[in-house]
Amino acid sequence: MNVIIVGGGKIGRNLAMFLTAEGRHAITLVEKQEQVAHSLMRMLPDIRVIEGDGCDPSVLRDAGAEFADAVAAVTGDDEDNLVIAVLCKREFRVGRVAARINNPKNAWLFTRRMGVDLPIDTAQTIGRGLEADINLGAIVQLTRLREGRISLIEFTVSAESSAVGKNVASLHLPPDCLLTAILRGDDVILPSGETVIQAGDQVIALAYRDREAALSERFQ
């Protein structure tokens, strides 16, 4: 599937890494800030990164919007995300468009009429997570998959963690848990069994919801 992600912040970057890890998608990431775009090019060598404003039809065309199966507008600006959604749906006839809602007061605008097939309301997601007793202290849930049975989660390894200095293989991770990436400074590491955990590592993992607590224990 050809996927365009507009917005190279934390959400866009993590989404790009997650979809790349699945191995079934061609990803293009659009970021308008020059410094951020160049940093992403270094961090994500397997992903096509374009420097440009996603609200510009010519930039979307260069990104391949005419042939895209899906577009995710995940910038930090609601107006930009709506403009991107409208352009992708009406100008380029993209089949599926997701758009991030930054301000909950604007949620009513993110409709199919505005080109949005899938509105992503971060505040609502966190609120529902709190209601579901999700632990947002050690582990932050980025998204849920497979009807909520699987979570894409992120956590930071503290200096006091027993995992510091150990390789991934020696941690004996619970079944059905997969470390998909480690963010270390400006580097993105695709971990193997020999990868050594360091204090301050931001770990991104896939886990069944009933395995999250056991996974967290390995890094305490």
Side-chain angles (χ1 to χ4, degrees):
M1 186 165 71
N2 293 319
V3 180
I4 298 173
I5 301 169
V6 184
K10 191 172 185 178
I11 291 177
R13 180 191 65 195
N14 288 341
L15 177 59
M17 289 191 299
F18 168 70
L19 292 175
T20 300
E22 285 199 328
R24 297 184 289 110
H25 310 293
I27 311 299
T28 299
L29 183 56
V30 179
E31 168 56 46
K32 67 179 179 180
Q33 294 187 39
E34 180 180 1
Q35 186 174 357
V36 175
H38 289 179
S39 177
L40 290 167
M41 291 175 189
R42 294 192 301 271
M43 293 170 62
L44 307 172
D46 296 328
I47 293 174
R48 183 186 179 211
V49 178
I50 292 178
E51 178 195 340
D53 187 347
C55 295
D56 185 338
S58 65
V59 172
L60 290 174
R61 186 172 288 106
D62 289 344
E66 292 174 294
F67 310 103
D69 299 296
V71 171
V74 292
T75 78
D77 187 287
D78 285 344
E79 184 176 344
D80 284 357
N81 290 340
L82 285 171
V83 169
I84 294 162
V86 169
L87 284 172
C88 288
K89 185 62 71 172
R90 298 183 183 177
E91 180 74 16
F92 298 105
R93 306 296 182 185
V94 176
R96 189 158 179 79
V97 177
R100 174 188 177 188
I101 302 169
N102 295 278
N103 186 342
K105 292 182 179 179
N106 295 330
W108 66 277
L109 291 167
F110 287 71
T111 64
R112 290 186 182 275
R113 186 176 180 181
M114 295 297 291
V116 180
D117 300 301
L118 177 63
I120 305 169
D121 190 335
T122 307
Q124 185 183 79
T125 300
I126 293 175
R128 287 176 176 173
L130 288 171
E131 291 174 353
D133 293 326
I134 293 174
N135 177 9
L136 294 178
I139 291 181
V140 175
Q141 187 179 74
L142 300 175
T143 190
R144 292 181 184 174
L145 306 167
R146 299 296 183 185
E147 300 177 343
R149 293 182 293 114
I150 302 175
S151 298
L152 179 66
I153 57 179
E154 177 180 348
F155 54 90
T156 301
V157 180
S158 70
E160 295 77 24
S161 171
S162 61
V164 173
K166 296 180 179 178
N167 62 31
V168 172
S170 68
L171 296 177
H172 303 295
L173 299 179
D176 302 320
C177 293
L178 174 67
L179 302 189
T180 59
I182 295 175
L183 310 183
R184 184 177 293 162
D186 289 335
D187 296 327
V188 177
I189 300 168
L190 300 180
S192 68
E194 299 303 315
T195 302
V196 176
I197 302 297
Q198 295 184 12
D201 282 350
Q202 289 178 267
V203 179
I204 299 174
L206 282 170
Y208 278 88
R209 289 190 63 196
D210 59 359
R211 304 286 189 182
E212 288 180 25
L215 178 62
S216 177
E217 289 176 1
R218 300 297 195 278
F219 290 87
Q220 289 180 355

